[in-house]
Amino acid sequence: MISSTFLHSSSRALGATLLVSGVLLSSAAEAQISTPQASPKSTVQQRVGLTDVTITYYRPSLKGRLGFGEAASKALVPFGQRWRTGANSTTSIKFSDDVMVEGKKVPAGEYGIYTVPGKASWTVVLNKNTKLGANVDGFKAEDDVASFTVKPVKLANKVETFTINFTDLTPATATVDMQWETTAARFKITSDVESKVMAQIDEKVLKNSSPSNGDLAAAAVYYLDNNKDPKQALEWMQKANATDPKFWNVHTEAKIRMKMKDYKGAVTAAEQSKKLALEAKNAQYAQMNDELIADAKKAGKL
């Protein structure tokens, strides 16, 4: 005969088992199958001058549909209407330092890129709100940090998937290039390189009683590349080369002398650089020095 105590214990054990099973079944039911997104997420990064720029966006594809067009055309992005500049979430752009965007001052930080595409022009806005997504009706102009107009460019080849890239890089600038279908819209970012580099030169070279050869050479190269005082650049490079000549630094000295029209000095420095380059088995620099020697002899009629 089975006791009532046993039945009661068995019922509680069965209930616990069912409860545990229920949890397990519930957890299994809540788990979702992972599938590729129709508009996958993408992040593109670029150092512009000394500033890091990061753009995060979702990439819709045309899939036989019209990308941009008049509202009546059932385009994915009708002309004259605000767009999150991608799919899913608002496209964002982040700057590690203050920059200029199309001539407008933009503080360091992260902003939403909102656009109003048009047939003849696009309005591009950087706004503090990065969370609107498709709810662009909630856009507030008082949160704008920069607004400007750009002219769209017609592309020769069709771009199926919305793409943002950085192009036309210089030591201080880059262009953000947005492409979809046969349209491109672009805007320029300018980083404040000059004041940052000059501050470093002031601290590490001008006000330093014992600057390193690396800092002396870097300062000289910056002066050469940015058309600053060549005599000062030459002085720094000579100091760097006095105790530890590197073939690339001696080549830079030759270039500085060439710019100063000291053609004999340029030839002498280039010959030294070539010798060091050959010892280091660097054929490219040896050839560069040969070319500089030829140019200096021709210019100076040596």
Side-chain angles (χ1 to χ4, degrees):
M1 183 176 181
I2 301 174
S3 69
S4 59
T5 301
F6 176 81
L7 287 172
H8 182 65
S9 299
S10 298
S11 297
R12 284 190 298 172
L14 180 59
T17 301
L18 291 174
L19 178 60
V20 172
S21 298
V23 171
L24 292 174
L25 288 173
S26 175
S27 298
E30 290 174 2
Q32 295 182 351
I33 297 173
S34 295
T35 59
Q37 289 182 303
S39 301
K41 184 178 182 179
S42 181
T43 299
V44 288
Q45 296 178 308
Q46 181 63 54
R47 171 153 284 205
V48 181
L50 300 176
T51 300
D52 293 320
V53 184
T54 304
I55 297 176
T56 302
Y57 71 114
Y58 288 82
R59 306 182 60 190
S61 295
L62 294 171
K63 298 178 181 179
R65 300 168 295 181
L66 179 65
F68 304 106
E70 303 295 342
S73 67
K74 295 184 179 180
L76 293 171
V77 182
F79 289 148
Q81 294 187 21
R82 194 175 307 281
W83 183 37
R84 58 192 140 169
T85 320
N88 303 337
S89 302
T90 299
T91 291
S92 68
I93 186 167
K94 185 176 182 179
F95 306 106
S96 63
D97 299 296
D98 297 352
V99 295
M100 300 286 286
V101 180
E102 286 293 315
K104 306 292 180 70
K105 292 182 179 180
V106 177
E110 186 172 12
Y111 307 100
I113 303 178
Y114 298 91
T115 51
V116 181
K119 189 173 184 179
S121 66
W122 280 41
T123 298
V124 182
V125 177
L126 304 188
N127 188 279
K128 294 177 183 178
N129 195 327
T130 63
K131 306 298 183 183
L132 288 180
N135 183 30
V136 291
D137 290 340
F139 181 90
K140 295 181 180 179
E142 56 264 35
D143 289 333
D144 290 354
V145 294
S147 179
F148 47 89
T149 300
V150 297
K151 186 177 181 180
V153 176
K154 186 172 179 60
L155 300 173
N157 299 312
K158 187 176 182 180
V159 177
E160 169 66 20
T161 303
F162 180 57
T163 301
I164 300 179
N165 281 319
F166 292 94
T167 61
D168 302 328
L169 299 175
T170 74
T173 67
T175 296
V176 175
D177 189 356
M178 303 177 289
Q179 298 187 6
W180 203 21
E181 204 172 38
T182 56
T183 298
R186 299 161 178 157
F187 61 87
K188 187 176 182 179
I189 298 170
T190 303
S191 173
D192 180 14
V193 173
E194 174 73 6
S195 65
K196 293 177 181 177
V197 173
M198 291 304 294
Q200 292 180 74
I201 291 175
D202 185 58
E203 176 191 355
K204 297 184 177 183
V205 177
L206 294 174
K207 294 180 179 178
N208 188 344
S209 59
S210 301
S212 70
N213 288 338
D215 285 337
L216 286 166
V221 169
Y222 186 78
Y223 265 46
L224 173 64
D225 291 345
N226 290 275
N227 297 313
K228 295 184 180 294
D229 185 358
K231 291 182 180 180
Q232 179 65 85
L234 180 59
E235 179 184 333
W236 287 334
M237 191 56 80
Q238 284 180 306
K239 286 183 179 179
N241 292 335
T243 57
D244 185 22
K246 306 291 187 184
F247 63 82
W248 57 89
N249 284 339
V250 180
H251 179 76
T252 299
E253 180 180 332
K255 289 167 66 177
I256 295 171
R257 289 184 180 279
M258 186 76 176
K259 190 169 187 177
M260 296 173 66
K261 298 183 179 180
D262 175 12
Y263 302 118
K264 287 184 179 180
V267 170
T268 299
E271 287 176 342
Q272 181 188 3
S273 176
K274 178 182 177 180
K275 180 181 178 181
L276 294 170
L278 289 173
E279 289 173 356
K281 299 182 180 180
N282 191 306
Q284 182 181 6
Y285 259 88
Q287 182 179 349
M288 288 166 59
N289 281 295
D290 279 338
E291 292 171 357
L292 194 151
I293 290 168
D295 290 343
K297 287 183 175 180
K298 181 178 180 180
K301 298 180 180 179
L302 303 177

